[in-house]
Amino acid sequence: MPPALNRTALDRVIAVINGKGGVLKTTLTANIGGMLANNGYRVLLVDLDPQGNLAEDLGYTDDDRDDTGRALAQALMFGGGAAPIREVRPNLDVFAGGPALDQATAGLAAKANKDPDGAKLAVAHLLEPIAGDYDMILIDCPPGDETLQTAAVAAARWALVPVKSDKSSRKGLGAVAARLDAVIGVNPTLDLLGVVLVDVGTSAHVVQREAREHIAELFNADNNVVFTATVRHSEATAQATRERGLLVHELDAQVRKGPKWYEIRRGDAQAQTLAPRTASSVADDLQAITQEVVARITAAEKQEALA
């Protein structure tokens, strides 16, 4: 039987979760992690998704370092440690995900028949010995895998829930709330960090207000449960970042450092591959989300210290 968990070591673990796909879970995980690392935080990202899309966002797809989730799956099924990919960016390490995690799902589901708490705590036992090496750990949860979602939130101190503002997307929040409730027995410190509205139109103020009210009602909380910052819709930026293996702020920096039109015209420089104009705006949105994540966690930690 694994030793008792040191929950304090997991105080900076965030599960980015929603039962629906296409709500920017991986985008938020990669870009929040990348921005934190760029600002000096030591960050670990855990890709629990068999689709392994975090590799595309960070540019290590088909790299020798990408084992498509085999090391992570083995550690979750059989215990013991696993080594993340080191320095995918300065200060940023990653547990790679991918199709091999389907084996972990099957293995943990079987284990749950004999040891339900042990199956739920597989991710927690993996992270607890190494959590002290990092200032923040973010887990990218799969959209439809109940077993891995449960293991993720059982390891996390915080749940961060991205959601689109439309009614259909908000329906998935009920499943998220149920998933959080299901692990309270093994993870009593789990709390909701907040809900992030994503893929929104910048002028859709009425839609945003109504979405905030509905989400607050669902979680039996005030409107502050929803982050102030939102992430605007930009399909062009999403495609450009994944095609190039760049984070949004990296794409924005690349565009800003690129040659001016007059330098290209007089032959002093070559034109860059076209990049979307929205990259700068989306980078600003993601920076605001990152700052709010840090502010919310810092405020909660200060409040706990005073209690």
Side-chain angles (χ1 to χ4, degrees):
M1 179 178 292
L5 278 170
N6 174 15
R7 276 286 169 195
T8 303
L10 301 173
D11 276 351
R12 290 285 188 90
V13 178
I14 304 170
V16 184
I17 183 170
N18 190 313
K20 291 180 66 67
V23 293
L24 308 191
K25 289 187 302 294
T26 301
T27 297
L28 285 180
T29 302
N31 284 276
I32 291 172
M35 286 186 169
L36 288 171
N38 194 47
N39 283 278
Y41 284 72
R42 287 285 300 139
V43 179
L44 174 66
L45 304 183
V46 183
D47 187 356
L48 273 189
D49 193 337
Q51 295 181 68
N53 288 335
L54 198 60
E56 296 181 8
D57 283 23
L58 291 167
Y60 61 86
T61 304
D62 299 324
D63 189 304
D64 289 341
R65 300 171 295 175
D66 184 9
D67 70 350
T68 65
R70 286 193 297 275
L72 182 55
Q74 292 291 315
L76 294 177
M77 287 189 292
F78 304 115
I85 305 171
R86 304 289 182 185
E87 298 289 304
V88 173
R89 299 288 192 279
N91 299 317
L92 182 66
D93 298 344
V94 181
F95 274 120
L101 286 169
D102 286 331
Q103 300 171 18
T105 298
L108 291 179
K111 181 177 182 177
N113 293 324
K114 296 180 179 180
D115 181 13
D117 287 354
K120 289 178 181 178
L121 292 171
V123 175
H125 282 296
L126 170 67
L127 295 180
E128 189 256 349
I130 62 173
D133 297 336
Y134 299 98
D135 301 306
M136 204 78 76
I137 299 175
L138 291 96
I139 305 173
D140 184 19
C141 298
D145 190 319
E146 180 179 345
T147 299
L148 291 180
Q149 282 184 11
T150 298
V153 293
R157 172 66 179 85
W158 301 105
L160 180 67
V161 185
V163 64
K164 294 183 179 180
S165 58
D166 61 279
K167 184 176 181 180
S168 174
S169 295
R170 295 199 305 270
K171 287 181 180 178
L173 292 180
V176 173
R179 194 79 70 243
L180 303 187
D181 288 342
V183 300
I184 290 299
V186 295
N187 185 9
T189 61
L190 176 65
D191 203 353
L192 179 65
L193 185 61
V195 177
V196 178
L197 288 174
V198 301
D199 217 10
V200 300
T202 54
S203 60
H205 301 300
V206 174
V207 172
Q208 283 194 42
R209 186 181 69 249
E210 291 178 350
R212 289 175 186 276
E213 291 171 353
H214 285 301
I215 292 167
E217 182 179 351
L218 176 64
F219 284 102
N220 195 25
D222 58 34
N223 285 9
N224 289 334
V225 72
V226 185
F227 273 47
T228 302
T230 62
V231 182
R232 73 194 70 200
H233 173 78
S234 176
E235 187 64 29
T237 295
Q239 289 182 359
T241 51
R242 286 205 166 162
E243 286 173 0
R244 303 180 197 195
L246 294 173
L247 299 173
V248 177
H249 71 274
E250 294 169 339
L251 178 64
D252 180 40
Q254 188 179 86
V255 172
R256 290 175 186 271
K257 289 191 294 187
K260 306 295 187 292
W261 66 269
Y262 54 81
E263 293 173 330
I264 298 170
R265 184 165 185 176
R266 69 188 181 208
D268 294 338
Q270 290 186 335
Q272 289 183 329
T273 304
L274 290 177
R277 296 178 180 178
T278 52
S280 180
S281 299
V282 177
D284 288 343
D285 291 348
L286 290 165
Q287 181 177 1
I289 294 292
T290 302
Q291 290 172 338
E292 196 163 349
V293 165
V294 172
R296 286 180 176 231
I297 291 176
T298 301
E301 289 174 346
K302 288 181 178 178
Q303 188 172 359
E304 288 173 6
L306 293 172

